[in-house]
C-alpha cells in the first residue's frame, strides 16, 4: 500500500530549506506521493507560502496536514522549540530531508571569518540543530523512518572557491554515515544525496560556463531530478539502503 492509498493520517516528512529549488521540488514531489509535508524556511516568506500552496495543490492523502515552519536552522534553541512544538501537536516525523543551506563563495586566503562561520553554522550545524532533537521521537515511534541529508559534489571532491561550503558538505556526509550506523537497528535509514550542478538560484551563469565542459552530459541537472531520488529514498522499498552517498551529477567524476 502506498502512502496515497491509505485512509490513515499520512506519514509526515519535514523538508528544510523548502522555499525554493531542490527543497521546493522535493516537498511537492513528496506531497504528490501522498506524504504529509512540513515545509520549512528561515522565515515565513512569500516564497515559503508559495511552496505550501504548491504542496497542497499536488494532492496526496486527504488526511495529510500539510503545514509550514519558519526558523533559522543555525539557531539551535529556536529550531528545538519550533520542532518540539510541531511534533507535540502532530506527532513524530516519519522522515526528515535536511536541505537547508547557503553558499558564500570566495578564495580561502581572502575569506572573511564570518563567511566561514555562517556557512558552517547553517549547512553543518543546522543538521545537528534539526535532526538531534527529532531522533528520539522518531525512535519512539517504533516504526521505520527515513533521514536524507542533501550534501553536494563539493563535499565529495572539493571545489575551488568553496572551502567553507565543501567543508560543511563533507561534514554532512560523515555525520550521515555515522548516524546511519547508530539508527540502523531501529529501521531508520540515513543517506546523503550529493547533487552536482543543479539549475537553481545558487548557480550563476559564470559557474555554469566554467563547469559544463567537465560534465559528460553537458547540461545542468534539475531540482526535480534530485527530488526524484530523495522521494525514492523515503519509500518503504528503500528500507535496505542506508549509509550511502548517492550523487546526481550528470557523470561528473
Amino acid at each position: 500500500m502506498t502512502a496515497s492509498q491509505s485512509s490513515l493520517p499520512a506519514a509526515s516528512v519535514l523538508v528544510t530549506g523548502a522555499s525554493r529549488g531542490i527543497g521546493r521540488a522535493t516537498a511537492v514531489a513528496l506531497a504528490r506521493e501522498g506524504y504529509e509535508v512540513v515545509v520549512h524556511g528561515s522565515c515565513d516568506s512569500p516564497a515559503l507560502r508559495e511552496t505550501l500552496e504548491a504542496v497542497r495543490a499536488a494532492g496526496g492523502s486527504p488526511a495529510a496536514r500539510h503545514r509550514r515552519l519558519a526558523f533559522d536552522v543555525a539557531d539551535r534553541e529556536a529550531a528545538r522549540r519550533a520542532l518540539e512544538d510541531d511534533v507535540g501537536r502532530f506527532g513524530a516525523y516519519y522522515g526528515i530531508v535536511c536541505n537547508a543551506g547557503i553558499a558564500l563563495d570566495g578564495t580561502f586566503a581572502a575569506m572573511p571569518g564570518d563567511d566561514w562561520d555562517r556557512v558552517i553554522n547553517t549547512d553543518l550545524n543546522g543538521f545537528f540543530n534539526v535532526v538531534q532533537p527529532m531522533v528520539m521521537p522518531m525512535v519512539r515511534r517504533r516504526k521505520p523512518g527515513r533521514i536524507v541529508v542533501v550534501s553536494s559534489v563539493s563535499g565529495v571532491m572539493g571545489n575551488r572557491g568553496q572551502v567553507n561550503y565543501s567543508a560543511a558538505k563533507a561534514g554532512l556526509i560523515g555525520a550521515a554515515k555515522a548516524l546511519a550506523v547508530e539508527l540502523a537497528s531501529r529501521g531508520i535509514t540515513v543517506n546523503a544525496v550529493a547533487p552536482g550542478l543543479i539549475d537553481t538560484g545558487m548557480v550563476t551563469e559564470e559557474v555554469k560556463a566554467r563547469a559544463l565542459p567537465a560534465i559528460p552530459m553537458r547540461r545542468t541537472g534539475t531540482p526535480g531530478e534530485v527530488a526524484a531520488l530523495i522521494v525514492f529514498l523515503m519509500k518503504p522499498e528503500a528500507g535496505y539502503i542506508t549509509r550511502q552517498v548517492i550523487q546526481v551529477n550528470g557523470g561528473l567524476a
Side-chain angles (χ1 to χ4, degrees):
M1 178 181 294
T2 65
S4 59
Q5 291 172 324
S6 175
S7 60
L8 299 174
S12 62
V13 180
L14 169 69
V15 182
T16 69
S19 296
R20 57 184 60 83
I22 293 170
R24 176 178 287 184
T26 299
V28 172
L30 286 166
R32 195 175 293 123
E33 287 291 320
Y35 293 96
E36 175 180 290
V37 184
V38 185
V39 297
H40 159 269
S42 60
C43 62
D44 195 11
S45 65
L48 182 63
R49 293 193 290 273
E50 287 171 8
T51 297
L52 183 57
E53 290 173 5
V55 162
R56 287 173 172 161
S61 168
R65 299 162 296 181
H66 304 308
R67 55 196 183 274
R68 67 183 187 268
L69 294 179
F71 59 86
D72 182 358
V73 296
D75 185 331
R76 185 164 298 162
E77 186 58 25
R80 183 191 63 78
R81 285 197 308 267
L83 292 167
E84 288 183 352
D85 178 67
D86 190 63
V87 167
R89 293 174 62 194
F90 297 101
Y93 304 131
Y94 160 77
I96 300 173
V97 180
C98 289
N99 171 70
I102 60 171
L104 297 170
D105 296 349
T107 60
F108 186 65
M111 183 173 290
D114 186 57
D115 284 5
W116 175 274
D117 291 340
R118 286 176 63 195
V119 170
I120 296 297
N121 286 337
T122 300
D123 296 25
L124 182 56
N125 291 344
F127 164 83
F128 178 90
N129 298 343
V130 169
V131 176
Q132 198 273 343
M134 294 295 96
V135 163
M136 287 313 300
M138 290 180 73
V139 168
R140 285 193 289 267
R141 289 177 70 247
R142 297 185 181 277
K143 296 178 180 178
R146 303 283 184 266
I147 298 172
V148 177
V149 178
V150 179
S151 179
S152 168
V153 67
S154 295
V156 176
M157 60 188 293
N159 195 26
R160 178 182 175 85
Q162 290 192 319
V163 175
N164 50 359
Y165 188 74
S166 296
K169 294 299 188 176
L172 285 174
I173 288 173
K177 287 187 172 185
L179 185 59
V181 176
E182 293 187 10
L183 296 179
S185 65
R186 306 287 188 169
I188 300 173
T189 67
V190 187
N191 292 288
V193 172
L197 192 67
I198 306 300
D199 196 6
T200 69
M202 293 178 68
V203 179
T204 66
E205 292 302 317
E206 179 184 354
V207 169
K208 288 182 187 179
R210 189 170 64 245
L212 282 176
I215 300 173
M217 294 192 82
R218 295 295 191 269
R219 69 171 178 88
T220 57
T222 68
E225 289 171 318
V226 181
L229 172 60
I230 296 172
V231 170
F232 171 72
L233 291 172
M234 283 286 156
K235 291 185 176 183
E237 293 88 343
Y240 202 54
I241 302 171
T242 195
R243 208 184 183 192
Q244 302 305 303
V245 182
I246 307 173
Q247 298 190 55
V248 186
N249 63 16
L252 183 66

